[in-house]
Amino acid sequence: MRLSGWGNYPIIDAGSHSPQSIIDVSACLLNKNALIPRGLGRSYGDSSLAPQILSTLSLNHFIAFDATTGVLTCEAGVSLADILSTFVPKGWFLPVTPGTKFVTVGGAIASDVHGKNHHVDGSFSDHVHSFQLIIADGSGIECSRILHPELFHATCGGMGLTGVIVSATIALKRVQSAYIDETVIKAKNLEEVFNLFEEHQASTYSVAWIDCLSSGEFLGRSLLMLGEHAKEGGLIARKKKRLTIPFNMPSLLLNQYSISAFNALYYHKQREQVAERRVHYDSYFYPLDCLHHWNRLYGKNGFTQYQFVLPKSAGLEGMTAVLKEIAASKRGSFLSILKAFGPGNKNYLSFPMEGYTLALDFKIALGLFDLLDKLDSIVLHYGGRIYLTKDVRMPELIFKQSYTKWPDFVKIRTQYGADKQFHSLQSSRLGL
Amino acid sequence: MVKNILIIGATSAIAETVAREYATQGHKLYLIARNEPRLTTIAADLRIRGAADVVVATMNVSNFSTHHSVIEKAYVALNTIDIVLIAYGALPDQKALEKSAENTVESCNTNALSVISFLTILANRFEEQSRGTIAVITSVAGDRGRHSNYVYGASKAMISVFLQGLRNRLHHSQVHVLDIKPGFVDTPMTAHIKKGGPLWAQPEAVAKDIVKSIENKKDILYTPFFWRYIMLIIRSIPEAMFKRGKL
């Protein structure tokens, strides 16, 4: 079957296996060549691509739920959307959620995803109590911070390269309402938004939309969006009607002029310096989920998201250097998101570290990878790194210089025989 | 009001998705299937989703002599049954059946006669209680015999005709009889077929249609809806022309 990541680049032909139960997963591993587990395929690049994939989508059952503590055990193919629609009406919410609810629990752990509350609550795996991993020889291993801690930390953020996560126990968090009280603050440049992030670090959720085509004194003008769970509004897991982008749009649709115009409109839509409103969690956390197949907006050649983090020490200077390079390239990103991270965790390959992260979408086009190579060297210079879940082209050398715990990761992979069984296009490219 | 729902073939992908809809609405479910570990997994899941209660029972539907006692047990557990959904079926390899009369009969036993057996037992119960819905998943394949799939099609057609008569009979007892005819659905039963394209539906969409049609007391459901028109065209092709084709 034809497969790609969310970026629709690259598109490959792959064999697919869909085990119907956890026991089937072991059987599948014993009979097959090297493969990579895959959930909903929302990683952007080639991390869920391989000649053979193992789909976890049939492992979609809840196993146990403690209604007093909110501790949920479920199979790894359960989607965050399913968790929300089942548990929001009961007064529970995800402890951490990325910008789409169409990811599986297994994928969220393997990518160790983060959300708008990283600066207070850490990343997804920080709320995972334990999980069951089927390793290369088909046996199941229960992993937690106490049981097989090194395998636990290699698997969280480990991009599916240690084994197949088949079930997990995670802690949901109590909410009184399905609504979020949102505050949007305008920032006229990068310095201003940096200061605002510092000022509002007590806010549960924070993220900034940034206009990456503005330059000069307005370089990095942004809208900082803060959020707190509302106390009222009801617990309805509203299901919005989804619009579908029916086919790939002409890629010329998104160019520096259209993006620049959109950015200006979006920035000036809000007249006040500070605006407050109450919004449903669905529109607050997942604005793009209501646009089914929005990845088709970038045309048939696909797109990539370049997301990097710079340590706090690099601060304004590093981010300015990157933004200047992008503004000069005139390759506008339709959606650019800036976020302040709290401290990272102990996982070997997890992306977040204390500092600032910026995510930019670029359509695949001639010369793009040259620009990204240039950005790589700036990121590396300031001691930052690139998010593997979004990556489709990072050179091995950049990876190994920025993810310094990679030798330990490789050691654990070898120890559990994973180096013979689990490979993705990405892992081969990165020399793992 | 909490409804009592019996599902036979509860581990089939469509049945499980229907069960999730009912669990979310807080109803009580009695699930019958062959594979016990899978039933246990599904039952735990449905309880968490909100089912008032979930009871499971295992059986092999080809074992006709057990049909009476299986239904009897379900009635003992549930007291009354508001909705029964018969959802099992096996997609046979047509080419292989052509070589074996034995296997052809066996396939018809599973896909048609065992269902007829259940329906006969259930019809009397429902007639007695004078309310409720009997819903059966058949197939668009039953609408016309085709070169590539006629043993399966004939079994499904037999049920569809049986249901027509049953609907007529039970109408006078206020019992609703629904014939569900799905087109191509992306499930493990069709895992070996190359998929993609606009004709393939996800079980979630089909399940939503089923729940709605039970609610609205529809007689025949084509799901997704466009299969009604596709089959209308396929049925109206003259036999003299149809037999030359390779559908």
Side-chain angles (χ1 to χ4, degrees):
Chain A
M1 65 197 290
R2 308 266 287 163
L3 273 188
S4 69
W6 184 243
N8 283 334
Y9 171 85
I11 300 173
I12 64 158
D13 248 315
S16 159
H17 312 281
S18 306
Q20 294 299 305
S21 66
I22 290 176
I23 297 161
D24 284 358
V25 173
S26 306
C28 210
L29 291 184
L30 293 177
N31 294 327
K32 307 295 187 243
N33 303 325
L35 50 73
I36 194 77
R38 175 175 161 116
L40 281 161
R42 282 289 176 130
S43 58
Y44 282 63
D46 53 0
S47 47
S48 72
L49 298 180
Q52 299 287 323
I53 63 129
L54 185 151
S55 167
T56 60
L57 292 182
S58 294
L59 308 177
N60 59 9
H61 300 95
F62 295 126
I63 297 170
F65 180 65
D66 184 332
T68 54
T69 59
V71 172
L72 169 72
T73 303
C74 63
E75 290 180 342
V78 166
S79 70
L80 300 192
D82 199 4
I83 293 180
L84 288 168
S85 64
T86 307
F87 294 102
V88 167
K90 303 181 204 296
W92 298 95
F93 200 76
L94 292 163
V96 163
T97 175
T100 170
K101 57 185 183 294
F102 300 118
V103 299
T104 63
V105 168
I109 296 172
S111 284
D112 196 14
V113 297
H114 55 268
K116 299 176 179 182
N117 55 345
H118 185 274
H119 59 291
V120 241
D121 293 320
S123 47
F124 193 85
S125 75
D126 294 321
H127 305 268
V128 173
H129 290 186
S130 63
F131 53 79
Q132 199 194 352
L133 187 75
I134 309 284
I135 59 166
D137 68 6
S139 60
I141 297 187
E142 193 70 20
C143 301
S144 69
R145 287 174 186 79
I146 296 156
L147 297 167
H148 306 281
E150 74 301 328
L151 192 54
F152 179 90
H153 290 296
T155 303
C156 294
M159 307 308 287
L161 295 167
T162 55
V164 184
I165 302 166
V166 290
S167 66
T169 299
I170 61 174
L172 302 184
K173 78 169 179 190
R174 262 261 179 246
V175 288
Q176 263 96 50
S177 159
Y179 286 80
I180 300 288
D181 287 329
E182 184 187 34
T183 307
V184 182
I185 307 172
K186 276 177 134 175
K188 73 172 197 294
N189 57 32
L190 196 61
E191 190 176 356
E192 221 174 279
V193 73
F194 266 53
N195 291 335
L196 283 170
F197 267 118
E198 291 296 317
E199 201 178 304
H200 293 279
Q201 52 183 305
S203 175
T204 308
Y205 299 106
S206 68
V207 72
W209 167 86
I210 182 167
D211 176 358
C212 64
L213 281 179
S214 57
S215 51
E217 66 170 311
F218 298 116
L219 185 81
R221 70 174 172 186
S222 348
L223 296 173
L224 177 69
M225 304 166 187
L226 306 172
E228 297 293 339
H229 285 283
K231 297 271 182 276
E232 298 117 43
L235 287 163
I236 302 160
R238 188 177 49 173
K239 277 190 189 139
K240 274 210 284 191
K241 271 228 163 12
R242 289 164 73 189
L243 291 172
T244 297
I245 309 288
F247 41 75
N248 287 321
M249 292 289 153
S251 62
L252 279 176
L253 195 70
L254 294 182
N255 55 48
Q256 57 163 308
Y257 305 105
S258 66
I259 291 174
S260 208
F262 170 83
N263 286 355
L265 275 174
Y266 195 75
Y267 182 77
H268 291 295
K269 198 181 81 175
Q270 177 173 323
R271 299 273 176 106
E272 318 84 328
Q273 187 58 30
V274 179
E276 289 181 22
R277 54 190 187 140
R278 179 168 291 176
V279 292
H280 191 263
Y281 75 79
D282 221 25
S283 19
Y284 181 76
F285 288 105
Y286 316 111
L288 285 172
D289 279 354
C290 63
L291 205 59
H292 199 39
H293 289 304
W294 65 260
N295 51 349
R296 290 175 178 163
L297 285 172
Y298 285 90
K300 67 173 170 25
N301 293 337
F303 73 110
T304 186
Q305 190 170 84
Y306 188 80
Q307 182 172 1
F308 64 92
V309 57
L310 295 182
K312 213 165 183 180
S313 58
L316 196 55
E317 184 192 323
M319 202 54 81
T320 305
V322 175
L323 278 178
K324 274 192 175 153
E325 192 70 48
I326 295 166
S329 80
K330 304 263 196 266
R331 286 175 197 271
S333 159
F334 188 50
L335 208 74
S336 315
I337 297 296
L338 180 69
K339 159 96 199 115
F341 274 155
N345 54 30
K346 282 166 68 184
N347 304 334
Y348 299 93
L349 297 186
S350 277
F351 168 66
M353 63 164 83
E354 186 158 24
Y356 286 90
T357 179
L358 180 67
L360 307 144
D361 289 348
F362 295 103
K363 67 181 175 198
I364 302 289
L366 215 62
L368 171 67
F369 288 1
D370 296 336
L371 169 68
L372 300 186
D373 284 342
K374 274 192 216 157
L375 299 186
D376 279 356
S377 48
I378 302 174
V379 170
L380 203 64
H381 171 77
Y382 286 102
R385 60 191 173 213
I386 291 152
Y387 194 7
L388 295 177
T389 302
K390 312 286 176 75
D391 160 59
V392 73
R393 35 64 55 194
M394 186 188 349
E396 179 177 346
L397 198 65
I398 301 285
F399 165 71
K400 289 188 170 169
Q401 286 175 336
S402 52
Y403 282 86
T404 49
K405 290 184 197 157
W406 73 268
D408 304 316
F409 182 77
V410 167
K411 210 173 92 196
I412 290 157
R413 228 162 99 72
T414 317
Q415 186 186 334
Y416 288 95
D419 55 331
K420 304 268 187 312
Q421 180 73 63
F422 303 104
H423 283 286
S424 62
L425 297 189
Q426 182 180 51
S427 74
S428 307
R429 174 165 49 81
L430 298 180
L432 282 173
Chain B
M1 198 191 74
V2 176
K3 287 182 184 146
N4 292 336
I5 298 159
L6 168 67
I7 302 181
I8 308 179
T11 53
S12 94
I14 296 176
E16 187 184 349
T17 322
V18 171
R20 284 187 178 184
E21 291 275 328
Y22 283 128
T24 309
Q25 294 173 19
H27 298 305
K28 192 167 169 177
L29 293 150
Y30 192 101
L31 310 178
I32 298 175
R34 192 173 39 185
N35 186 331
E36 188 164 7
R38 293 220 38 198
L39 264 184
T40 314
T41 304
I42 291 170
D45 174 73
L46 296 175
R47 281 186 204 109
I48 294 169
R49 285 173 196 277
D53 194 10
V54 186
V55 185
V56 301
T58 51
M59 76 170 296
N60 184 344
V61 293
S62 304
N63 214 340
F64 285 57
S65 61
T66 62
H67 285 198
H68 266 289
S69 63
V70 163
I71 299 299
E72 187 58 42
K73 268 192 205 147
Y75 266 95
V76 169
L78 295 176
N79 202 19
T80 69
I81 295 175
D82 298 289
I83 299 165
V84 59
L85 173 68
I86 303 183
Y88 64 86
L91 191 61
D93 176 353
Q94 170 72 28
K95 280 269 167 283
L97 293 187
E98 285 166 16
K99 295 189 185 76
S100 160
E102 225 174 35
N103 293 347
T104 300
V105 169
E106 198 191 301
S107 171
C108 294
N109 261 333
T110 310
N111 283 335
L113 294 177
S114 74
V115 176
I116 301 280
S117 163
F118 276 125
L119 284 173
T120 306
I121 298 165
L122 286 161
N124 294 334
R125 290 281 198 163
F126 273 70
E127 193 169 40
E128 210 174 291
Q129 68 188 34
S130 287
R131 57 183 194 83
T133 295
I134 297 174
V136 186
I137 299 181
T138 63
S139 170
V140 293
D143 277 15
R144 186 152 199 181
R146 288 172 304 124
H147 166 102
S148 59
N149 199 15
Y150 62 84
V151 177
Y152 181 75
S155 296
K156 292 299 190 181
M158 182 177 183
I159 303 174
S160 288
V161 174
F162 189 94
L163 288 174
Q164 280 175 356
L166 194 65
R167 179 179 304 118
N168 199 179
R169 171 185 153 199
L170 295 181
H171 175 73
H172 304 283
S173 320
Q174 287 80 51
V175 174
H176 167 218
V177 176
L178 171 65
D179 183 355
I180 301 154
K181 300 188 175 193
F184 299 151
V185 189
D186 184 1
T187 68
M189 186 176 93
T190 56
H192 57 287
I193 302 170
K194 220 177 146 124
K195 287 176 191 152
L199 291 185
W200 284 89
Q202 289 304 310
E204 288 75 17
V206 170
K208 279 201 166 59
D209 276 354
I210 293 175
V211 170
K212 213 161 89 190
S213 301
I214 290 175
E215 184 76 32
N216 299 342
K217 301 207 184 301
K218 203 168 173 158
D219 293 325
I220 298 171
L221 165 70
Y222 283 89
T223 171
F225 71 96
F226 51 80
W227 282 97
R228 174 181 293 277
Y229 307 102
I230 295 176
M231 295 322 291
L232 186 69
I233 294 165
I234 290 181
R235 276 198 314 271
S236 51
I237 299 170
E239 191 68 8
M241 206 199 267
F242 198 78
K243 70 180 178 191
R244 291 166 215 261
K246 274 199 169 178
L247 213 54

